Amino acid sequence: MSQPEIPTPPWLDVAGYPFRRTVHDIAGHRIHTVDHGDGPTLLLLHGNPTWSYAWRGVVARLGHRFRCVAPDLPGFGLSQAPAGFDGRPASIATVLEGLVERLDLRDVVLVAQDWGGPVGLRVAQRVPHRFRGLALGNTWAWPVTGDRHFERFSALVGGPVGQALARRANLVVRVMVPLGHRLRRPSATEMRQYRSVLATPERRAATSGLAREITGSSAFLAEVEQGLPALRHLPALLLWADRDIAFRGAELERWQRELPGATVVPLPGAGHLLQSDAPAAFADALAAWHGATLSARDPR
């Protein structure tokens, strides 16, 4: 089967994003994927409203010793979803499971942030034989209905007003990407990458849609929560930014209860997009943990 054409739009920051890229047809989706480097496999999953570009600093630092696989979620980045795709987390997880199977990924460490967490964990629960570790940064994996902090955000950004502003003005990107950085300010080039991949009202709708699903996909999140005990045997790393406007100390404490053996590495001063805000600290912590926890027990 021939490889679909890899999109390289004129606005793409090739110098800042110089990685090997592939495109895979998965159940009617064209999933654009960074597949860069050689070595143990890291599956890097982004959240809302970003794409694999958010991982560029981590991939640049780790590609010499790891295979970094960073897909764009359906409808985000350079991935294309078919007409009628509902964009819900359960459906995204199904597509990503298909990608993991298509690439025949093995001995994978899931590296996930924001929506990449519950979506990636659901994939790991469905094909557990393919995963050997978890590295989670500022994410969650349980229903948050009843928590006003999350309910307010979901209602505001995912409601009618938020949907209109997302479609007309790309507001989720314009507001959330800068707010996700606390240690530094995203450059004009960076912001152009995030705006340009969501250039039409139809594509921008996915950003408010995932905000709505914070409460709208409670059933899916409950399934992920119920599956967490089955993953507790996997070595786990919790990378945590303490200036996140979304995930707080309460969520970190919950993770420490869910994954009691996890290594915790704080990233002081970093914001929600910790992999982009503090890429060196993120990559260094991930490499050190992998070397001490996984590579040390693997004679290969």
Side-chain angles (χ1 to χ4, degrees):
M1 183 181 296
S2 62
Q3 171 71 31
E5 182 180 354
I6 300 172
T8 304
W11 50 260
L12 186 63
D13 175 26
V14 177
Y17 185 71
F19 311 118
R20 178 178 180 267
R21 302 183 290 119
T22 60
V23 175
H24 303 274
D25 288 331
I26 307 293
H29 300 258
R30 290 170 58 88
I31 302 301
H32 173 265
T33 304
V34 166
D35 194 340
H36 185 79
D38 295 297
T41 301
L42 306 177
L43 177 63
L44 302 107
L45 299 184
H46 68 85
N48 186 27
T50 62
W51 57 295
S52 56
Y53 184 77
W55 292 108
R56 69 197 180 283
V58 174
V59 174
R61 288 168 172 83
L62 297 182
H64 66 287
R65 57 179 294 188
F66 294 96
R67 179 186 179 187
C68 297
V69 178
D72 296 340
L73 302 185
F76 287 83
L78 298 176
S79 288
Q80 299 290 332
F85 179 62
D86 63 17
R88 303 190 73 180
S91 301
I92 293 172
T94 297
V95 175
L96 290 182
E97 180 185 353
L99 179 67
V100 168
E101 295 281 8
R102 174 71 57 81
L103 295 177
D104 193 23
L105 301 183
R106 299 173 184 270
D107 295 329
V108 176
V109 172
L110 170 66
V111 185
Q113 177 262 344
D114 190 74
W115 269 113
V119 167
L121 288 165
R122 191 63 181 136
V123 175
Q125 291 164 358
R126 289 173 173 169
V127 286
H129 60 286
R130 295 189 176 275
F131 288 81
R132 66 183 304 231
L134 308 173
L136 307 175
N138 288 62
T139 185
W140 86 117
W142 47 81
V144 292
T145 48
D147 187 324
R148 293 186 63 193
H149 172 73
F150 291 105
E151 287 190 333
R152 284 194 296 262
F153 179 83
S154 185
L156 176 64
V157 182
V161 173
Q163 292 176 40
L165 290 173
R167 290 176 64 90
R168 295 174 186 172
N170 212 356
L171 190 70
V172 183
V173 165
R174 293 178 185 273
V175 172
M176 298 306 297
V177 171
L179 284 178
H181 294 79
R182 297 294 187 172
L183 293 173
R184 64 181 189 86
R185 182 177 181 177
S187 69
T189 297
E190 289 176 83
M191 290 304 301
R192 184 164 60 251
Q193 307 308 299
Y194 292 114
R195 291 194 307 270
S196 296
V197 289
L198 300 173
T200 67
E202 292 72 25
R203 285 184 65 81
R204 295 171 194 158
T207 63
S208 60
L210 275 185
R212 181 179 63 249
E213 295 305 317
I214 293 170
T215 54
S217 281
S218 291
F220 166 78
L221 289 165
E223 290 180 357
V224 178
E225 177 187 27
Q226 291 167 8
L228 289 177
L231 300 178
R232 284 179 183 157
H233 68 287
L234 296 176
L237 170 67
L238 299 172
L239 291 150
W240 209 260
D242 62 5
R243 294 194 63 198
D244 188 353
I245 62 171
F247 299 105
R248 310 154 294 180
E251 283 71 54
L252 175 57
E253 292 173 3
R254 173 69 184 268
W255 275 119
Q256 289 177 289
R257 295 194 298 271
E258 295 289 350
L259 302 173
T263 299
V264 179
V265 176
L267 298 182
H272 181 63
L273 296 174
L274 68 169
Q275 73 272 53
S276 176
D277 200 20
F282 190 108
D284 289 348
L286 179 55
W289 167 80
H290 195 286
T293 308
L294 293 173
S295 298
R297 66 172 66 175
D298 188 346
R300 294 174 299 176

